[in-house]
Structures are given as structure tokens and as C-alpha cells.
């Protein structure tokens, strides 16, 4: 596949996951590192996200788990908590995913994630 | 629920996830910290794992993602990669979960996990 | 011990460590994940904190060291720096604990912790 | 070398790397942990930074890579992104260093660093 | 650029950095996750490593710093310490890079890296 | 204080904490990075460890907590678990410190530490 097609597919995928984020990713990186925005779309949202073998719901569950576990990722959690809801995961599945991580990472990282979850849930009506 | 019941339920759950691990957890911790084995069973495998809201397959997917992301967890990955297969996840779902983490954690942590995946897959016939 | 007693004991312990935090933990988690507040009280502040073998002062010293070392834990440090002072550790012991971590974690994590320490010390009169 | 000379040399080195930071390090730590400011100057900026074998440009490149990789270091990145420019690294070298880390640490940590880079570049005219 | 060309360029680049690793990457991943080997070559060693703006020596210095800082990366450090020497960095530059990280990450991670450095240096005659 | 005195004091302190480690630190680093051994003695074991404000027992408790929390530190834990026992901490205090970290870092890091604890306790007769 040529890069142009990877970019188009990646944009379409990010649009599905979080349409608002799709715009702001490009804007924020435009001045200093526009190539990083392209890599996010081509590599992450085309090469990785469009692979078969996992549903989009599974992918978003894996994504928020990885972000919660590494910490210092409130900005990215915001995008992908919206993404979770946009691809059809329930609020319960999101909260249970956070709770499931407690024995693996301890309470502080889970509480940090739940602070972002609380804010996202309050902002949305679904 | 009383602690005795939590322990019984937790043992049954770990038995389902990874029967071999269920034995060795108790044995390894017996001399130095037997209470930690009880906490793993009561808190992790009863209080957390038996909650509704996520399937056991989703829980094991979340678990290996969290272990892969934090690193230095080869021993725990071994238990839960077996757990993934035992609760019905496919080899493809496991490998795709690792691949999905590349954009979030980079290649080194994913390669470390895939080394354990390769060893576990080679040991099993399913 | 039944869960009800674990909850009562855990509340009493968190009250001793940081009375203000005891209230806000429940409030913040009330809408999205009230069970996590219960787990913090039952598991962390009853099952763990009430164990013999370490004094409360030792426990709070261990707590702030673990929080400082993992990073991205300013909110939790605030609770437990107050906790340190509430259980009778001196300001000197707190600052020296941070300094002692420099050879193990480097300056950035220690400076992040000292920023929170400075704010907490300024807020209190003891 | 006596400690007094280490302190003088360390101050001169930090002055070269980031004159503004040189002042604020001392001020911020003055009340709670003045000895830490001395250790930063004597140990980090004298004992380490003045060693032969790496140029100051190489040292600052290594520094921002280490800060980006460990995460939760926006405050320290601000000092050393200014440091990079002050010792003669180009904006391109800084951005490329961030981009180079993507395969090793993933996008979230790199995006966090690029947020700080964007702010620093906007503040300066060189 | 088409993916085929990205793969060819990536292979050539990894060949330059560490010819032995170029072979083993493909072999180890062949059974379980051959696509990851392709991503390493296409994304890491073509898209990233062939960018202008940093010399190969700077890239390898950044790489070992990131690996040392994240920890649990002895296998990857082995590849890139060889890579450092292969692209013309001196033993002194490698050791000084490790030493430079002490104030940022503390002694344990640096000592872990120096253990690998010692083994690699002992194996080579350059 | 002159560096010579810092080195002498640091050696004496490490001797107290773990006499066997005092020898092997110098030996292992002798070929590749002898200055790092000096920094460990002068900076860590003189400048930091000899400060007033914390007892040696408190310092070793803080040390093993920081090592357990950062992970990938089995080698350093071995030194400082011996150190804990050498400065008079009991086996119970060591195990309880590990258990106390469960709510803050999760089970995997604590189990990794307890594996080292079990080995050290088996090796010693005190």
C-alpha cells in the first residue's frame, strides 16, 4: 500500500474512534512536528488499528489499559475514553477495566484514570 | 461476604484462569509471605475477577496489556498468557494485543512480551 | 472478618492518617466508581494498614517513597504527606526521605515530590 | 577538589546551560531543601556535566531523551529544552530527537514532550 | 514511498547499525509475529532512522539513553551498544552517556546498563 | 569536605550496610567505569547516607521501597535486603514493607521483590 492510502485510511479510522481528536492532532502538531501527525495516522491508525484479529472495541480496551498503566497520559486517555464510547463500549466496561487494573498497578494509577473518566462521563450524554 | 468464602471463590477463579499457577502461587509464598497468596486469591481473583461487567476474556486481555506495559513482568505474563488461552482467547487475539500496544509503548516492551508469547505457544498444543 | 467490619476499620484508619482525605475519597468516587472507595478502605486501609509488624510512621514513610518513585502521583502525595505529619513524622524526616531517594531515582522525581512537600508545609502550621 | 570549588563550577555550568533556571533552582528549594540545590550544582552540574568525553550538545541531547522517556518531567524538560538551544543545538535536532524516540517509547510520551517543545519554541526568538 | 521500498531501506539501515541483529530480528519473530519484524524495519529503521536532522551517531546515542532510562531492556541495549560502536561512537562516549544519566535516573538503571556495556566491550576487539 | 574524605566515609558506610557489596561494586566497575564506583561511595554512601535526620534502618527501608517500586532492580535489592538485615531491621519488617506496597504498585512488582527476599532469607542464618 502506498503512503497516501495509508494516510487516508488512518484519517478515516481516527475519525471513527474520535472525530474531534482527528482535527486537533493535526492542528497541534502542525507548527513543530507535522510528520508526527502523519505517523500517528499512517502507522497507528492505519497499519495497526485496521489489522484484523481484534475488534475495535477490543482495541480501545487495550488502549486505555496501556495508557492507564504507563501513567502521565491524561491527554491521551481523554481521546481514547471518548474513543471507547464512540466504538460502542459501555460506561460499565470502561470503569470495570480501570478497576480490573488495581491488582496489577495499584490504586494511584487507577485513581488518576478514574479522574479523567469522571470528567469525560460528565461531558457526554450517552 | 466472609473472608473464607472470598478465599474459596478466588481459588476457583484462579483454577479456571490457570490451574497450574494456582498451586505454585501458594507454594512459592508459603515460607516468607503466605498472606500475600491469600490476598491474591481473595482480593484479585475473588473481589476483582468475579465482578460482573467484563467477560473473563476481556479481563485476561486487559491483564496482559497491563503486564506488557509495565515491563519486568515475564513471570506474570507466563501465568496470564496461559490464562488467555485457558479462557478461550485465540493465539491471534493475543499476538494482536501485543502488536496493538506498539504505538503506545514502543517496540522494546512489545518484543519482551512476544518473547514470552513465543515460549508459551511452543509449550502448548492448543 | 466480615466486609462490614473491614470497612469500619478501614475508615477509622484513613481517619487517623488523613481525616480530610477520608471524606473526599468517598465523594470523588461516588458517581463513577463507588466500589473503588470501598476497596481503598477495606483492602488498603484495613487489610494492609492495620497489620502488625510496621509502625504507622514506617508505613507512611514507605508510602511516600513508593509514590515519589513511581511518579505522576502529586494528588496521592498530598494525602500522604499530610498523613506523614498526622502520624507524627517530622518535617525533617519527610524531606530526608525525599533526599535519600536521589541516588535511586535521580533528581527529577525528587524535585517533583519536593514541590508538593513545599506546598503542604506552607499550608500547615505544625 | 573541595566542595566549594565544585559548587562554583556547577553554578557556572548551569549558568551556561540555562541561566534563568540557575536562579530559580536555588530559590524554589531554599525553604524546604536547600541542600538539594547544592547537590544539583555540585554533583549534576559539576561532577557530571564538566566531565570530558561528551560535548555539551551531546549531554543536552541525552538529557532531554532521558526526561522524555521517564515521563512526568514537563518542568525539567522546560529547563533542558532551553538548555539545548542555549548550547547550540538546532530546533530541528530537538524535534528529531523526540521523533527518534517514537519506536522506543511510543507516541504518548513523545506527544507530551512535543507539547513542551511547542511552548518553548513559541517563547523564544532564536 | 511504497512499503516494499521502505522494507528494503529499513533492512539496509539495520544492516549498517547491527548486521547480526538484522538477521536475528527476522528469525525470532518469524513464527509468532512476522509482521512486527516488518514494522521494525519499515517504521523504525526506514521511516525514523533515515530522516535527516540527526546523524546516525546522534540517533544511536539517543537510542541507548532511552533504553537505559526505561529499564528492562538488556536485550535491546545489546543490539544498540553494538550499533553505537558500529556507527563510530567511541567506548568513552558510550560510558559517558551512561554516567550522564545518573542525575536523571539514579544509579540502579545506570548500573544495569553498565553491566551490559561491560559484556559487549569484552566481546569485541574494536 | 574534600573528596578523599568523602570516599573514605562512603566506603565505611557501605561496609556497614553490606560489606560484601562494598568489594564487588569496585571490582565490577573497575574496567569500564571506575568513576561510577567512586560516585556511589562519595555521593550515595557519604553525602546522602551519612546525613542526620533518618536512622540507617529508616534509610534501608526507604531504599528497598524505592527499588521494589521502580522494578528491574533484583541485583540492587539483593544488596539492600542484606543491608536491611545488617543494620538491624527484622525479617518481618522487610516482608511487611513489601506487603505495604501492594495497594500502591500492585502485585507483580511485590511478587518480584518477594522472590528476591525469599532467596536472601534462605541464604542467611540470622
Amino acid at each position: 500500500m502506498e503512503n497516501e492510502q495509508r494516510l487516508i485510511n488512518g484519517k478515516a479510522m481516527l475519525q471513527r474512534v474520535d472525530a474531534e481528536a482527528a482535527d486537533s492532532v493535526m492542528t497541534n502538531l502542525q507548527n513543530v512536528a507535522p510528520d508526527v501527525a502523519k505517523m500517528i495516522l499512517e502507522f497507528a491508525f492505519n497499519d495497526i488499528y485496521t489489522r484484523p484479529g481484534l475488534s475495535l472495541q477490543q482495541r480501545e480496551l487495550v488502549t486505555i489499559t496501556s495508557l492507564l498503566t504507563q501513567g502521565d497520559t491524561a491527554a491521551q486517555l481523554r481521546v481514547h475514553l471518548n474513543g471507547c464510547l464512540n466504538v460502542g463500549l459501555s460506561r460499565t466496561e470502561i470503569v470495570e477495566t480501570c478497576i480490573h487494573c488495581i491488582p496489577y498497578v495499584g490504586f494511584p494509577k487507577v485513581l488518576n484514570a478514574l479522574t479523567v473518566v469522571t470528567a469525560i462521563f460528565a461531558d457526554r450524554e450517552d
Side-chain angles (χ1 to χ4, degrees), chain A:
Chain A
M1 193 188 297
E2 297 207 24
N3 279 348
E4 202 180 336
Q5 191 58 47
R6 293 168 69 217
L7 187 59
I8 291 167
N9 294 357
K11 276 184 184 167
M13 176 56 81
L14 179 51
Q15 203 78 26
R16 253 175 92 185
V17 172
D18 189 347
E20 213 176 312
D23 294 337
S24 74
V25 159
M26 279 299 186
T27 312
N28 288 342
L29 290 165
Q30 201 171 318
N31 288 324
V32 163
D35 288 359
V36 174
K38 286 185 63 182
M39 288 175 192
I40 290 172
L41 297 169
E42 291 172 0
F43 181 65
F45 286 99
N46 177 65
D47 297 357
I48 304 287
Y49 266 75
T50 66
R51 292 173 65 86
L54 286 178
S55 69
L56 249 181
Q57 293 190 5
Q58 286 176 310
R59 290 189 182 279
E60 283 303 283
L61 221 63
V62 168
T63 298
I64 62 166
T65 301
S66 185
L67 293 172
L68 176 157
T69 301
Q70 70 180 287
D72 193 30
T73 53
Q76 291 81 17
L77 268 175
R78 246 170 260 129
V79 172
H80 288 285
L81 288 168
N82 278 309
C84 283
L85 295 168
N86 294 341
V87 303
L89 288 162
S90 68
R91 290 182 172 216
T92 300
E93 285 172 308
I94 290 170
V95 171
E96 285 301 318
T97 297
C98 295
I99 292 175
H100 187 78
C101 290
I102 295 171
Y104 297 107
V105 302
F107 287 100
K109 283 171 188 281
V110 174
L111 291 176
N112 287 352
L114 286 171
T115 301
V116 188
V117 169
T118 303
I120 297 288
F121 284 6
D123 277 0
R124 291 175 65 123
E125 301 194 356
D126 56 352

